[in-house]
């Protein structure tokens, strides 16, 4: 009971840590929305000042409208605190202001709008889009550098995402490693152990289809080797001939596959349980993002804790040699051989050979004996050391 309570307490801490990171993620979404609003307000004010400056011209006393120009310069300076801008001064005194990779934020007396919109690959993540002529065009986060807006996007991609993925990787690694060991034991019901930890739902790992996909492919992912997992997310795209898997942390293509299923070099596999994709279809794959959130204890009955070794060994009472048998281990992956519970007897016919008798073993005779070498039958392994005498049994 103490073991189960300890497991529940540990999982609760995983959930608390993940919830805090999720709150930070939601906070970034909120700040992106408010920051876009501030930028839009500054852009509109600058556009209005452009018009006033243009209307004022040289003024009745032959002087430029310096007060208006100072106000505009102050607004540009404030705008730069929120997003890095490029200013182009026009012959009529107006400022044209550009952001990102050349998007117009202000052209003369016209201001354009930024909007926080859900990512097409992940509806829980907001990105910044450019609104023009009724069209909403995504500005890739890499093109929005500097200022509060660039800082928020950089923090999310460079700190928050890998941190939450790393926490999930710890949870996934712990669960899989512990489960593998637990399945090698036997519980109070004389049954081999089952999974001690599980994941609530099917979100670990998660493959999210882009909302613009038009094909019928249903991509899924599964963990294959926790030791190879990274803290990155991945993009899978069908280019018309191949599935191309890109690791987003460094934009390295880690696999190109003509067909699925495939096992990737980064510790997970990808499969398609649906129909065919169309060129341009893509999926966001998050192998560990929700590992900490979804981790649960799969056992609530203390009798199902597999704390016993499901194999016992002994030497014959009449043995005359110096041979000794090890305690034995159950082989991994967990054995499914129905003969596992059947006894096996090893009898030495000489100091260097033995016969085997037992259901499921094939009952071989004259098996060569090497002291300390593995002897494996029916899903278990033992070693015999020393020099057995003829007729000694184990």
């Amino acid at each position: 009971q103490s073991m189960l309570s300890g497991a529940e307490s540990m999982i609760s801490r995983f959930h608390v840590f993940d919830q805090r990171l999720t709150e930070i993620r939601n906070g970034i979404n909120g700040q992106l929305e408010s920051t876009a609003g501030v930028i839009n307000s500054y852009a509109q004010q600058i556009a209005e000042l452009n018009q006033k400056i243009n209307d004022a011209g040289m003024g009745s006393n032959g002087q430029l409208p310096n007060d208006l120009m100072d106000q505009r310069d102050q607004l540009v300076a404030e705008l730069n605190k929120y997003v890095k801008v490029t200013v182009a001064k026009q012959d009529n005194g107006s400022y044209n202001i550009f952001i990102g990779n050349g998007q117009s934020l202000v052209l003369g007396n016209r201001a354009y709008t930024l909007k926080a919109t859900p990512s097409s690959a992940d509806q829980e993540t907001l990105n910044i889009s450019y609104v023009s002529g009724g069209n909403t065009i995504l500005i890739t986060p890499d093109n929005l550098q500097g200022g509060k807006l660039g800082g928020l996007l950089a923090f999310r991609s460079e700190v928050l995402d890998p941190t939450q993925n790393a926490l999930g990787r710890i949870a996934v690694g712990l669960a899989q490693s512990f489960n593998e060991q637990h399945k090698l034991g036997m519980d109070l019901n004389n049954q081999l152990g089952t999974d001690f930890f599980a994941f609530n739902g099917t979100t670990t790992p998660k493959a999210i289809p882009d909302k613009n996909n038009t094909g019928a492919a249903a991509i899924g992912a599964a963990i294959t080797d926790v030791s190879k997992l990274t803290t990155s997310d991945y993009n899978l795209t069908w280019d018309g001939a191949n599935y191309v898997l890109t690791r987003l942390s460094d934009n390295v293509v880690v696999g190109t596959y003509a067909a699925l299923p495939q096992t990737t070099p980064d510790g997970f596999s990808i499969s398609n349980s649906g129909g065919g994709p169309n060129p341009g279809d893509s999926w966001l794959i998050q192998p560990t993002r929700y590992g900490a959130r979804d981790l649960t204890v799969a056992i609530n009955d203390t009798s199902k804790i597999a704390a016993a070794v499901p194999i016992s060994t002994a030497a014959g009472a009449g043995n005359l040699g110096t041979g000794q048998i090890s305690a034995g281990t159950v082989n991994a992956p967990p054995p499914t051989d129905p003969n596992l519970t059947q006894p096996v007897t090893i009898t030495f016919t000489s100091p260097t050979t033995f016969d085997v008798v037992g259901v499921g073993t094939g009952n071989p005779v004259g098996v060569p004996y090497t002291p300390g070498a593995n002897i494996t039958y029916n899903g278990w392994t033992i070693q015999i050391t020393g020099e057995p005498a003829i007729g000694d049994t184990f």
Side-chain angles (χ1 to χ4, degrees):
Q1 187 59 52
S2 177
M3 179 180 179
L4 291 180
S5 297
E8 292 286 0
S9 176
M10 180 194 68
I11 285 177
S12 177
R13 296 189 69 185
F14 270 113
H15 291 173
V16 168
F17 292 151
D18 182 81
Q19 179 60 35
R20 178 58 183 139
L21 295 175
T22 299
E23 291 172 356
I24 294 173
R25 185 176 301 279
N26 293 337
I28 290 176
N29 283 342
Q31 290 186 69
L32 288 175
E33 290 179 317
S34 62
T35 300
V38 172
I39 292 172
N40 293 337
S41 175
Y42 282 140
Q44 183 61 44
Q45 292 178 65
I46 292 170
E48 292 173 357
L49 284 171
N50 276 342
Q51 183 64 52
K52 291 179 180 179
I53 291 170
N54 185 56
D55 292 343
M58 290 293 294
S60 58
N61 57 2
Q63 297 294 320
L64 292 172
N66 291 324
D67 55 338
L68 296 177
M69 298 172 71
D70 288 344
Q71 291 179 42
R72 185 178 61 182
D73 287 342
Q74 180 61 35
L75 287 172
V76 171
E78 291 297 320
L79 180 60
N80 248 319
K81 295 179 182 179
Y82 289 87
V83 63
K84 182 180 179 181
V85 299
T86 300
V87 178
K89 187 174 182 178
Q90 304 304 298
D91 293 339
N92 64 359
S94 294
Y95 281 176
N96 289 347
I97 298 179
F98 306 92
I99 61 171
N101 57 352
Q103 286 85 3
S104 302
L105 186 62
V106 177
L107 286 180
N109 61 359
R110 182 178 180 183
Y112 294 85
T113 302
L114 298 184
K115 184 178 181 181
T117 58
S119 166
S120 62
D122 182 2
Q123 296 293 297
E124 297 178 5
T125 297
L126 294 184
N127 286 322
I128 297 299
S129 294
Y130 178 74
V131 181
S132 175
N135 297 318
T136 301
I137 305 166
L138 173 68
I139 305 176
T140 59
D142 290 343
N143 289 323
L144 288 172
Q145 299 180 357
K148 182 177 180 179
L149 192 61
L152 288 169
L153 294 170
F155 171 78
R156 185 174 65 188
S157 63
E158 297 173 13
V159 179
L160 182 59
D161 286 351
T163 297
Q164 197 161 20
N165 289 348
L167 180 65
R169 182 174 62 172
I170 294 172
V172 170
L174 170 69
Q176 182 164 321
S177 300
F178 198 97
N179 286 347
E180 289 175 355
Q181 184 63 38
H182 193 250
K183 290 178 181 179
L184 300 181
M186 186 173 65
D187 64 20
L188 278 177
N189 303 312
N190 292 328
Q191 300 296 316
L192 289 175
T194 57
D195 284 343
F196 187 88
F197 293 108
F199 290 96
N200 184 27
T202 57
T203 58
T204 303
K206 191 173 185 179
I208 309 171
D210 192 283
K211 71 174 185 179
N212 298 318
N213 287 359
T214 58
I219 300 300
I223 303 297
T224 56
D225 187 343
V226 294
S227 67
K228 295 180 180 178
L229 291 173
T230 71
T231 59
S232 178
D233 294 338
Y234 297 78
N235 177 261
L236 181 70
T237 301
W238 174 253
D239 64 6
N242 295 290
Y243 292 96
V244 180
L245 183 68
T246 303
R247 187 170 52 228
L248 296 180
S249 60
D250 53 11
N251 288 320
V252 170
V253 174
V254 297
T256 302
Y257 313 110
L260 301 179
Q262 296 286 343
T263 298
T264 76
D266 284 4
F268 63 95
S269 63
I270 47 179
S271 59
N272 178 14
S273 60
N278 286 336
D281 286 356
S282 65
W283 297 262
L284 175 66
I285 298 178
Q286 299 172 320
T288 64
R289 172 67 57 83
Y290 300 100
R293 185 194 71 181
D294 294 344
L295 185 64
T296 62
V297 177
I299 291 177
N300 55 22
D301 182 351
T302 56
S303 69
K304 293 183 178 180
I305 295 177
V309 178
I311 175 175
S312 61
T313 61
N319 288 0
L320 300 176
T322 60
Q324 296 181 352
I325 186 170
S326 69
T329 58
V330 178
N331 298 342
T336 57
D337 193 327
N339 300 312
L340 180 65
T341 58
Q342 301 295 326
V344 175
T345 299
I346 295 172
T347 302
F348 277 82
T349 54
S350 78
T352 58
T353 59
F354 58 82
D355 295 346
V356 178
V357 175
V359 175
T361 64
N363 297 329
V365 297
V367 180
Y369 164 62
T370 302
N374 286 346
I375 299 174
T376 300
Y377 291 98
N378 294 1
W380 49 258
T381 297
I382 56 95
Q383 298 84 33
I384 296 176
T385 57
E387 185 176 341
I390 297 174
D392 282 359
T393 62
F394 297 90

